[in-house]
Amino acid sequence: EDNPVISVRDDKKVIQTQVLLQKLLMAIRWNRYDVLKHTMDSTRLPRISEPFIDAVNLALPLALQLNHVDHAKLLIAYGASLDQYLYPLDGDVSGTMAVDRRWQYLLSACRVDMRLHHMMLLMQETRGKQSTQLMSSSTLKTLTPAERMSDRLERVYRLLLGDAFQYELGIRGPELDLMLWAGVMNRPKMAKFFWSRAGQPVLNALTMCMLFRRLAARPDVTQVIMKHMLESAHEFEGLALGVQSIAMDEEMTMALDALENPSVIWDDMRLLDVAVHGFCEDFIEKCCRESLDRRFAGDLLPYGQRIGPVKGLKKSCAICVFSLGFAAPFILRYQAPPKASTVRFPTQRRRVPMGYPFDYESNVILNTDIKKDQLHWGSKELIDRLNDEGTRAVETMNNDDLNEMWSPTFTYWERFRLFWSSPVVIFTANGIVQVFALLLFTDWIVRGYEGIKFTPLDYVFAVYFGASILLECIEFFLTGWDYLGSFWNLLDVGAAALFFAGFRMKLICQDEPCDETLGRSSLPMKKMDKLFYSACLGLIWARFLRIFTANKAIGPLVIMVRKMGQDLLKFGLVWTVMWIAFAITLNGSVDGNPACEGDWNTYECEEWWFFIRTFFQAMGEPLLVEHRTDASVIILVFVFIIMNVILLNLLIAIMSNTYLDVQQQSNRRFLMDLYAVSEDYSKIALAMPLPFNVLFLIVDVVLYIWYTIDGTLDKLYPDHTFRDRLQKHMAQNSTQINERLERAYDLEGTGNTESRASQKAKGQEAYYQSRTDAFMENAKSTYVKRRWKEFSFGVQEEQRDSYVQTTK
């Protein structure tokens, strides 16, 4: 009853199938690998016969459901097909129902196994207001497409991995479908088996790592299962790390290209993005440093930049920023354009010349220079080499050779544009503008402030912080409540709010005298504007630390300060409880302050003064004036021992532990921060220095409206919401957009030059995609061969041999 039903026909083949099937099912239920193998070896049915294939196909679901990996591997080796879990493309109703029954049979294990309780809850969450029970076979006949198990599983995957996971069952074959199913069922051994059979090994391993970590973070998962899931996540991260390390040892360039290879199962996310969102820090630290440097540099070369005695990318960019970028095309080195869109990383915006990389004859500029003999000796030498060796010479050309050969097509203004599109340049320009604004603001507040009288600097900084408010509002709209999770965003909002509070106080005091004071404060209202401005300046100086997060030496120190602040908040809860306890105890034992016997208008005479007094005593200030009883002195001794000795040393120990932890993880933290900085500063309109970003925002909004009217965004992002489209538009790479539009509008068959170029680009893209996939598959095969014991999946050879001997 628990196996997919076969239609009973009164013929010999059905009887043979049923007899063999019953033997196979019993061997699987007994968990006897030796019996299963002997049964298939000893049957008289040929392995290619229809009854034998039907029997092993029908036995496979039971092996999968009972999580017998060695049995499933053996059945597949003997001819069981995984294609039975693929939905028919022709929309056949009976075939769809049969596949649905097979998937439901695999998921039925979560009804009886409490270790799969999380899966039952996931299925309930994705089913909405419908019944919380799994579908019975009687209801399968009336299923609508939205109720099929494939849609339910896809919604489960999106619930765990996010909306960016645009996966559909069957898009990458049944191996990937079953690997994901094994993952959500918390069966890492089974998932590892199907991982070894599926393609795109590194991407799939990182996806499984993220899946297990998201499952472990669910509140309905017990501590024991959570620990097991985290171990599984670490194991799959090790698989990705092992394959990528082998690929990097064999060919570094292709391995780096694989990290930036787009995937059909993730929406606008590369392998590196999946690793970061899955918190695969070990993989990022050991395999992604060069790729992160390339993203941060954009179209500039991340290494080897030098201007006279000045070495390094950031220093060279800073010098060029002071020249407003006009000197950059002459003195900076640029990366070669990508050979295909599949190997273009997100921050690379250089256009691909016609005919690049080897068909120079189709390029008008190069052809003209060749005919006029105007090529400089470097390009001429490389073209002669290409003519002699053919297209094989292109494969051996490095970045410098390709740049040299195609340098006539790389104009000055394109270099200038790429310079100001690079994340490292925008990051450096932001730092320079912030330093200038900080120094100007500080000098104005400290030396040149003129009270409530408005000056031109008031209006200058009003424009500056107005642009900041506009930027923060757009970021909040794009990211939602996640925006508040960033400490730097809170500093930006706080600084702008304090500035406009001071600006408002100035406006009020233009018409009123504002001589009164607030409470017991000796500061009159007409000076409150300076107080707000000074507080704003303090937050801006704190916000300036964000610049140092991209520095490997200073960045970890900034992280330490942030982490220690979080420790202080946690410790502050315990400290506050003890403070209140001692404050109330001391309040009942002191005899009062003799200075307050008269009518004194001081803080010491307030009813709540005992809280402030205990706070200073906890900090080491005795304040013995009010302690005129023996009980108060004894309690004060305990205050000093507990608050100043025990709790203070506890805080020091907590912060020391945090320091050691951050120090050990400093390289990983730096790389994660470098990725975040590259992502933030790749959005040109949002990342440009204040207040110049307003001009870029206006242009971007106008372009967004234009692309919405002419249907371009509908072509690019057909299934996205308004906010998602705006977010992708803000983060767009215009070169990538143009390449995607050519594919979306499908220019084939028009017979013009653009169509032929588009077809050639598609062919070149398919070539590099298949080449990269084959390269990574070869790396996976090498890794599996080296770790063959891990992929034997517990086949019991001794048990098999003993059974065969006993049978004989």
Side-chain angles (χ1 to χ4, degrees):
E1 292 86 8
D2 58 359
N3 209 53
V5 183
I6 59 174
S7 58
V8 179
R9 303 187 306 272
D10 294 330
D11 55 19
K12 186 177 180 180
K13 289 184 178 180
V14 173
I15 296 174
Q16 290 174 337
T17 301
Q18 290 179 342
V19 171
L20 178 59
L21 176 61
Q22 293 304 319
K23 293 181 181 180
L24 298 180
L25 295 180
M26 283 204 173
I28 294 172
R29 289 194 180 95
W30 292 346
N31 195 16
R32 292 295 299 270
Y33 175 89
D34 51 349
V35 176
L36 180 67
K37 191 174 190 309
H38 179 76
T39 301
M40 291 188 291
D41 287 338
S42 60
T43 182
R44 295 181 179 179
L45 294 174
R47 291 187 183 180
I48 60 174
S49 64
E50 184 179 349
F52 184 88
I53 298 297
D54 288 342
V56 294
N57 277 332
L58 292 171
L60 180 62
L62 181 63
L64 296 178
Q65 190 208 46
L66 297 180
N67 197 25
H68 294 170
V69 185
D70 49 352
H71 296 172
K73 181 180 180 182
L74 184 63
L75 290 170
I76 294 172
Y78 274 76
S81 175
L82 297 177
D83 291 343
Q84 58 184 302
Y85 290 98
L86 288 176
Y87 283 86
L89 297 177
D90 56 0
D92 180 36
V93 178
S94 60
T96 301
M97 292 174 59
V99 177
D100 254 341
R101 282 196 296 270
R102 296 187 187 103
W103 280 110
Q104 185 190 11
Y105 179 71
L106 294 182
L107 294 169
S108 62
C110 61
R111 297 180 187 173
V112 294
D113 193 347
M114 290 304 298
R115 293 173 297 180
L116 301 176
H117 180 65
H118 68 278
M119 186 58 189
M120 177 65 77
L121 295 178
L122 282 170
M123 296 296 288
Q124 293 176 7
E125 290 180 31
T126 55
R127 198 169 185 182
K129 299 180 180 179
Q130 300 177 12
S131 172
T132 58
Q133 297 295 325
L134 288 175
M135 295 176 287
S136 62
S137 58
S138 60
T139 60
L140 283 169
K141 299 179 181 180
T142 59
L143 282 177
T144 62
E147 295 170 332
R148 289 173 182 164
M149 297 305 296
S150 61
D151 298 321
R152 296 275 300 282
L153 280 173
E154 290 167 9
R155 290 198 294 270
V156 167
Y157 299 150
R158 289 191 181 96
L159 179 65
L160 290 172
L161 300 175
D163 294 334
F165 190 66
Q166 301 292 328
Y167 178 72
E168 297 179 2
L169 260 67
I171 194 173
R172 283 293 183 182
E175 292 85 2
L176 184 56
D177 298 340
L178 291 168
M179 183 191 73
L180 292 170
W181 161 80
V184 295
M185 296 289 282
N186 192 22
R187 295 177 174 179
K189 193 175 179 181
M190 183 72 74
K192 189 175 179 181
F193 166 65
F194 286 115
W195 172 85
S196 66
R197 298 178 60 88
Q200 295 187 321
V202 179
L203 178 66
N204 291 341
L206 294 177
T207 302
M208 292 303 298
C209 177
M210 184 192 298
L211 180 66
F212 279 116
R213 285 204 170 100
R214 298 285 175 86
L215 281 172
R218 287 182 60 84
D220 48 57
V221 175
T222 63
Q223 289 293 324
V224 177
I225 297 179
M226 179 184 70
K227 182 180 178 181
H228 183 250
M229 288 177 174
L230 291 176
E231 291 174 352
S232 301
H234 182 71
E235 181 180 4
F236 273 94
E237 184 179 359
L239 295 178
L241 178 59
V243 175
Q244 187 68 23
S245 299
I246 292 175
M248 294 174 71
D249 292 338
E250 292 181 0
E251 178 60 45
M252 177 64 75
T253 302
M254 290 190 66
L256 291 178
D257 290 341
L259 289 175
E260 300 293 357
N261 210 9
S263 171
V264 296
I265 65 175
W266 288 95
D267 182 29
D268 282 348
M269 286 181 64
R270 314 298 176 95
L271 195 150
L272 176 59
D273 302 312
V274 177
V276 172
H277 287 81
F279 296 99
C280 304
E281 296 182 350
D282 194 23
F283 178 84
I284 295 170
E285 180 183 19
K286 297 178 180 178
C287 300
C288 301
R289 175 59 193 266
E290 292 82 3
S291 184
L292 287 171
D293 287 339
R294 290 202 309 175
R295 282 199 181 190
F296 188 51
D299 285 277
L300 302 175
L301 274 179
Y303 312 112
Q305 299 285 1
R306 179 171 182 172
I307 302 177
V310 178
K311 299 180 181 179
L313 177 63
K314 295 179 185 176
K315 297 177 183 178
S316 301
C317 290
I319 294 175
C320 293
V321 167
F322 283 110
S323 71
L324 299 181
F326 292 106
F330 299 110
I331 57 180
L332 292 183
R333 301 171 62 196
Y334 291 78
Q335 297 198 64
K339 298 178 181 178
S341 61
T342 55
V343 294
R344 178 188 293 276
F345 50 93
T347 58
Q348 192 174 15
R349 292 177 166 86
R350 182 173 175 180
R351 298 187 183 94
V352 178
M354 180 72 70
Y356 181 85
F358 53 84
D359 189 13
Y360 65 90
E361 295 179 351
S362 63
N363 190 279
V364 178
I365 299 177
L366 280 181
N367 260 335
T368 303
D369 290 346
I370 291 173
K371 292 177 181 178
K372 294 181 179 180
D373 197 18
Q374 293 180 351
L375 285 178
H376 54 81
W377 65 269
S379 297
K380 189 174 182 179
E381 180 182 1
L382 289 171
I383 289 178
D384 292 339
R385 174 184 165 191
L386 187 63
N387 291 330
D388 295 338
E389 301 181 18
T391 57
R392 291 178 300 175
V394 180
E395 301 297 333
T396 61
M397 286 183 180
N398 55 27
N399 183 81
D400 294 334
D401 291 338
L402 290 175
N403 268 334
E404 186 72 26
M405 177 177 170
W406 291 89
S407 58
T409 64
F410 198 16
T411 64
Y412 172 87
W413 291 112
E414 186 176 3
R415 295 170 187 257
F416 180 81
R417 177 183 67 86
L418 296 179
F419 172 78
W420 281 110
S421 301
S422 174
V424 64
V425 174
I426 301 176
F427 178 80
T428 305
N430 266 280
I432 294 174
V433 172
Q434 286 187 28
V435 168
F436 177 76
L438 267 175
L439 295 178
L440 181 62
F441 200 0
T442 302
D443 181 74
W444 178 45
I445 294 298
V446 173
R447 296 194 308 171
Y449 193 72
E450 299 181 6
I452 62 173
K453 181 182 178 181
F454 274 107
T455 62
L457 284 178
D458 284 288
Y459 299 105
V460 169
F461 285 109
V463 173
Y464 181 88
F465 286 105
S468 176
I469 287 291
L470 176 62
L471 174 64
E472 302 307 318
C473 290
I474 294 177
E475 288 188 359
F476 177 75
F477 175 76
L478 294 177
T479 59
W481 294 109
D482 293 339
Y483 171 85
L484 300 178
S486 173
F487 174 71
W488 309 112
N489 290 338
L490 298 179
L491 289 181
D492 287 331
V493 174
L498 286 172
F499 176 83
F500 283 108
F503 196 84
R504 174 62 178 169
M505 291 298 299
K506 273 197 168 187
L507 289 176
I508 293 175
C509 293
Q510 296 298 312
D511 302 325
E512 301 178 7
C514 295
D515 293 327
E516 65 273 12
T517 60
L518 298 176
R520 289 189 175 88
S521 174
S522 58
L523 189 66
M525 287 185 62
K526 63 182 179 181
K527 293 186 177 181
M528 292 296 291
D529 56 333
K530 187 176 181 180
L531 175 63
F532 284 121
Y533 282 175
S534 300
C536 169
L537 182 60
L539 291 184
I540 298 176
W541 274 108
R543 175 64 174 81
F544 186 66
L545 291 175
R546 180 74 167 94
I547 299 296
F548 299 110
T549 55
N551 185 283
K552 191 173 183 180
I554 307 178
L557 299 179
V558 179
I559 298 173
M560 289 176 190
V561 173
R562 192 171 71 230
K563 291 289 184 180
M564 288 180 182
Q566 296 173 359
D567 292 338
L568 188 60
L569 290 177
K570 299 175 184 177
F571 173 81
L573 178 62
V574 178
W575 191 91
T576 302
V577 172
M578 298 300 299
W579 168 42
I580 295 174
F582 279 118
I584 295 174
T585 305
L586 282 173
N587 186 48
S589 61
V590 298
D591 195 21
N593 192 339
C596 295
E597 294 178 357
D599 187 14
W600 293 91
N601 189 20
T602 60
Y603 283 115
E604 291 85 350
C605 300
E606 292 288 347
E607 296 180 355
W608 43 265
W609 164 247
F610 67 95
F611 280 109
I612 306 299
R613 177 188 60 212
T614 309
F615 176 85
F616 285 112
Q617 290 170 341
M619 294 292 107
E621 180 66 33
L623 296 176
L624 295 175
V625 177
E626 302 179 33
H627 295 273
R628 294 180 290 178
T629 63
D630 295 337
S632 64
V633 174
I634 294 173
I635 295 173
L636 185 59
V637 171
F638 281 101
V639 169
F640 271 78
I641 293 175
I642 294 177
M643 303 294 283
N644 286 279
V645 178
I646 297 177
L647 292 183
L648 183 60
N649 282 280
L650 174 62
L651 178 61
I652 294 174
I654 292 173
M655 291 187 172
S656 299
N657 186 52
T658 300
Y659 174 83
L660 293 176
D661 179 62
V662 175
Q663 188 69 22
Q664 293 173 356
Q665 305 289 330
S666 60
N667 192 40
R668 297 183 179 184
R669 308 274 185 182
F670 165 72
L671 293 177
M672 296 293 282
D673 280 341
L674 184 62
Y675 173 84
V677 170
S678 300
E679 286 291 298
D680 292 341
Y681 288 89
S682 64
K683 304 170 184 176
I684 298 178
L686 299 177
M688 277 295 176
L690 298 173
F692 308 107
N693 62 329
V694 176
L695 301 176
F696 291 89
L697 285 172
I698 293 174
V699 173
D700 251 17
V701 170
V702 172
L703 288 176
Y704 177 79
I705 296 174
W706 175 260
Y707 289 151
T708 303
I709 294 174
D710 70 357
T712 298
L713 294 178
D714 291 335
K715 283 281 187 180
L716 293 175
Y717 315 113
D719 301 325
H720 291 71
T721 62
F722 169 77
R723 189 175 74 173
D724 292 338
R725 289 182 178 181
L726 181 60
Q727 186 174 12
K728 291 182 180 298
H729 175 73
M730 289 290 183
Q732 69 178 339
N733 182 334
S734 58
T735 308
Q736 272 184 321
I737 292 295
N738 293 333
E739 292 174 351
R740 291 182 60 180
L741 277 176
E742 288 181 4
R743 294 194 295 271
Y745 282 105
D746 192 16
L747 297 174
E748 294 183 6
T750 58
N752 54 21
T753 305
E754 189 175 12
S755 174
R756 291 193 295 270
S758 177
Q759 293 174 8
K760 186 178 293 186
K762 290 178 181 179
Q764 195 166 335
E765 178 181 337
Y767 165 73
Y768 281 103
Q769 179 70 49
S770 60
R771 185 166 173 254
T772 304
D773 291 343
F775 173 73
M776 298 306 295
E777 279 296 313
N778 181 61
K780 183 188 76 173
S781 301
T782 305
Y783 177 79
V784 172
K785 288 178 182 177
R786 292 180 183 178
R787 311 287 290 269
W788 63 270
K789 289 186 178 180
E790 295 183 15
F791 294 90
S792 61
F793 301 106
V795 175
Q796 303 170 3
E797 297 291 341
E798 297 83 0
Q799 188 183 33
R800 176 182 64 84
D801 295 339
S802 64
Y803 176 80
V804 173
Q805 187 66 31
T806 305
T807 305
K808 291 181 179 178

